[in-house]
């Protein structure tokens, strides 16, 4: 049976490679990107549907979720792959530190807005995390916005650790209902990653000599593809973190269920998600006289 696989961050790099591989495997792939031109190029080359959303603006994630719900009666796989490392500390119009919002809050919000459809589809929800969660994070649950302590590296590591904590809590909350969450490290992959960063990160991902040490996007994409095609509970264990298609160690904080719950609660408050999975703003709007008149 052909399945519907939504991949964010699919306009480039690992996501684009995985989109190609899954399309070639006969799956119905939906390409989600930020840059419309790049997104069209990938989607046109495969002849598949495409959506555009910039995660630096949470309303664009809400619009994306509404578009996906309208178009697809089933979503078998959601790959939350959009992400990156940035430079100086920046705060989005939503009031969040940019790295935290793009790497974690955007995917958290999208997943929660699609939650019922994902559960009905017994979906796999994949987070593209990173070894950076273990190597570079300075995770402080009381300073998620990195107001007290910021560096591009630690903000990125924190975002990627948040991907794993989110995976664990998603599994704890909805695993019994049939939703399979999993996180993975794709490898050190030669992509456009870090192109908007500075210093050592930028050098490592742009210098022609340094990039020889990196792995191809095909290999990075194949790790996402492996999870997307895999059978939960058989090929991979839901709620776990993988590297090179094997369960892997990561930061010790990833094993702390209390931190995972606190991160979930904080993320829900920051994105307006309630326990029932609806955005507070939508609920409030639905109750207004204007919204009632629109019915
Ligand atoms: N490369 C590595 O070594 C490595 C290692 C570990 C983990 N990762 C993770 O792998 C994932 C994919 O990265 P990549 O290496 O393939 O890098 P990439 O080639 O730069 O691709 C990043 C993707 O994320 C999208 N994206 C970036 N900022 C966004 C935003 N504000 N809103 C929505 N989408 C946004 C990009 O969209 P546009 O191109 O349309 O702007 C692109 O499709 C990321 O989550 C990254 O953190 C990468």
């Amino acid at each position: 049976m052909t399945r519907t696989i939504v991949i964010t961050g699919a306009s480039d790099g690992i996501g684009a490679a995985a989109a190609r591989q899954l399309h070639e495997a006969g799956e119905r792939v939906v390409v989600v990107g930020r840059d419309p031109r790049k997104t069209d190029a990938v989607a046109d080359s495969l002849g598949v549907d495409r959506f555009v959303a910039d995660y630096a603006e949470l309303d664009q994630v809400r619009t994306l979720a509404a578009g996906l719900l309208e178009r697809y009666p089933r979503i078998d796989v959601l790959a939350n792959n959009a992400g990156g490392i940035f430079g100086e500390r920046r705060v989005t119009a939503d009031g969040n530190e940019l790295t935290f919002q793009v790497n974690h809050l955007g995917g958290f919000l999208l997943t929660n807005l699609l939650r019922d459809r994902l559960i009905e589809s017994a979906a796999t929800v994949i987070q593209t995390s990173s070894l950076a969660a273990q190597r570079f994070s300075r995770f402080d649950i009381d300073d998620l916005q990195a107001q007290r302590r910021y560096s591009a590296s630690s903000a990125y590591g924190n975002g990627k650790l948040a991907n794993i904590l989110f995976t664990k809590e998603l599994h704890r909350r909805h695993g019994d209902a049939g939703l399979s969450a999993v996180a993975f490290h794709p490898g050190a992959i030669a992509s456009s990653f870090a192109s908007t960063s500075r210093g050592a990160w930028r050098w490592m991902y742009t210098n022609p000599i340094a990039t020889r040490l990196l792995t191809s996007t095909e290999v990075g994409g194949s790790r996402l593809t492996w999870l997307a095609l895999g059978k939960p509970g058989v090929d991979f264990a839901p709620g776990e973190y993988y590297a090179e298609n094997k369960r892997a160690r990561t930061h010790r904080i990833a094993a702390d269920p209390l931190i995972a719950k606190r991160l979930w609660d904080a993320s829900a408050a920051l994105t307006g998600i309630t326990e029932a999975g609806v955005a507070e703003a939508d609920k409030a709007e639905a109750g207004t006289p204007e919204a009632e008149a629109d019915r």
Side-chain angles (χ1 to χ4, degrees):
M1 190 184 69
T2 304
R3 299 176 316 145
T4 299
I5 300 182
V6 177
I7 308 176
T8 72
S11 51
D12 207 345
I14 295 160
R20 234 178 343 263
Q21 292 162 8
L22 289 162
H23 175 72
E24 280 163 14
E27 305 290 1
R28 178 189 201 184
V29 174
V30 181
V31 167
V32 182
R34 170 180 54 175
D35 180 308
R37 196 182 41 82
K38 288 169 69 179
T39 307
D40 279 346
V42 174
D44 287 345
S45 73
L46 304 179
V48 302
D49 292 352
R50 81 287 320 259
F51 288 81
V52 170
D54 186 343
Y55 279 25
E57 208 182 294
L58 291 178
D59 268 346
Q60 294 197 30
V61 180
R62 296 184 181 102
T63 305
L64 167 65
L68 292 170
L69 287 173
E70 192 183 323
R71 190 93 146 250
Y72 307 108
R74 289 185 61 85
I75 298 175
D76 299 283
V77 177
L78 169 64
N80 286 313
N81 172 72
I85 183 166
F86 308 108
E88 298 293 311
R89 184 177 184 278
R90 275 169 51 198
V91 174
T92 67
D94 301 286
N96 301 302
E97 189 279 312
L98 180 68
T99 325
F100 179 56
Q101 178 161 323
V102 171
N103 285 280
H104 167 65
L105 287 178
F108 173 89
L109 176 59
L110 181 64
T111 306
N112 274 285
L113 292 174
L114 299 179
R115 189 195 63 179
D116 291 350
R117 186 68 43 90
L118 293 168
I119 290 174
E120 285 156 21
S121 311
T124 295
V125 180
I126 303 167
Q127 274 60 245
T128 305
S129 177
S130 172
L131 182 64
Q134 187 181 24
R135 293 268 169 90
F136 303 113
S137 76
R138 300 278 179 275
F139 196 86
D140 179 351
I141 190 69
D142 296 313
D143 186 26
L144 292 172
Q145 304 288 358
Q147 281 166 314
R148 290 201 280 274
R149 185 176 187 171
Y150 177 88
S151 77
S153 284
S154 61
Y156 180 64
N158 292 345
K160 293 296 156 187
L161 181 52
N163 293 154
I164 306 173
L165 288 162
F166 170 50
T167 299
K168 302 238 172 234
E169 185 65 7
L170 190 61
H171 172 63
R172 190 187 72 75
R173 286 177 183 245
H174 304 303
D176 287 349
L179 194 152
S180 301
V182 66
F184 78 107
H185 168 58
I189 306 299
S191 67
S192 313
F193 176 78
S195 57
T196 52
S197 185
R198 292 188 182 170
W201 283 94
R202 191 178 160 80
W203 182 82
M204 185 175 157
Y205 281 87
T206 55
N207 180 285
I209 297 168
T211 52
R212 280 198 221 142
L213 301 172
L214 301 176
T215 309
S216 71
T217 51
E218 278 308 303
V219 171
S222 75
R223 285 157 185 165
L224 194 160
T225 295
W226 177 72
L227 291 168
L229 293 177
K231 211 169 159 40
V234 177
D235 298 314
F236 66 86
E240 297 299 337
Y241 167 75
Y242 284 76
E244 296 184 340
N245 302 355
K246 292 191 277 292
R247 266 174 78 169
R249 289 165 67 95
T250 183
H251 200 291
R252 63 182 165 70
I253 287 180
D256 187 333
L258 193 64
I259 297 286
K261 185 181 178 314
R262 285 185 63 192
L263 175 66
W264 182 287
D265 291 344
S267 306
L270 290 167
T271 55
I273 289 291
T274 66
E275 198 55 37
V278 273
E280 280 291 5
D282 292 351
K283 233 174 60 174
E285 197 177 287
T288 61
E290 294 81 1
E292 293 302 321
D294 282 347
R295 282 169 198 275

